[in-house]
Amino acid sequence: MESIELIQKMSSADAADWILEKYGLNNQNYYEAFEFIKKKSWKRVDQIKLARFYLAKMPFASALPYEVFASFMALQPFLMVIRECKPLRLEDINLMLYHLIPVLRKMVKTQKDSEMVTKFLADISQGRSLS
């Protein structure tokens, strides 16, 4: 795929901008962005920029978007973006959690990670503000 080679040659910031421009959320094939996103090493600022943009469309019909971002983001910024972008409707939160919980379980590597995920899930289940 030519475009993957193209973004691999770009800086992290330029590649993020290119993906956001080419695969906007209103684009019918925006889902293709996840293929590009997982093929590059991203600076933290660009990780967060991409995650905020695409995770704003939560919930998803599969775990793929969560898995893509979880594959290169640290747990704390990943949870921060999920908190910012979480859906408002209970049905949407339930769908988000259905796909997100297994991803979060795989991300847990330490006791601190486990505590962060437990707190995150408790906050959601109690309906508290997640900010």
Side-chain angles (χ1 to χ4, degrees):
M1 207 181 237
E2 288 178 11
S3 298
I4 289 176
E5 292 170 10
L6 176 69
I7 68 157
Q8 287 176 337
K9 292 177 184 176
M10 293 179 181
S11 70
S12 179
D14 288 345
D17 289 342
W18 183 87
I19 290 170
L20 293 173
E21 184 178 317
K22 186 161 175 72
Y23 296 99
L25 294 178
N26 294 328
N27 189 326
Q28 280 187 315
N29 61 345
Y30 85 92
Y31 224 74
E32 292 175 20
F34 299 116
E35 286 301 312
F36 292 101
I37 291 169
K38 67 184 183 182
K39 301 285 187 188
K40 181 151 180 78
S41 179
W42 301 99
K43 290 187 177 180
R44 181 173 280 219
V45 67
D46 298 314
Q47 292 174 10
I48 293 170
K49 178 180 182 176
L50 288 164
R52 280 182 173 144
F53 185 80
Y54 287 105
L55 294 180
K57 198 161 175 90
M58 286 192 286
F60 299 100
S62 81
L64 177 70
Y66 309 114
E67 290 168 346
V68 166
F69 289 106
S71 72
F72 59 80
M73 289 183 81
L75 182 59
Q76 186 175 13
F78 182 70
L79 290 176
M80 175 191 75
V81 173
I82 296 291
R83 282 183 178 100
E84 291 173 6
C85 298
K86 98 175 169 55
L88 300 176
R89 292 182 32 220
L90 182 59
E91 302 83 22
D92 293 340
I93 291 171
N94 289 337
L95 180 58
M96 174 194 77
L97 290 174
Y98 177 79
H99 294 297
L100 181 61
I101 288 173
V103 173
L104 293 176
R105 286 192 179 131
K106 290 178 193 170
M107 291 182 81
V108 170
K109 304 288 187 249
T110 67
Q111 182 63 33
K112 184 179 177 188
D113 291 350
S114 180
E115 291 166 6
M116 275 193 284
V117 169
T118 299
K119 181 180 181 335
F120 172 82
L121 294 174
D123 288 348
I124 285 184
S125 70
Q126 294 174 9
R128 287 193 286 204
S129 168
L130 296 177
S131 40

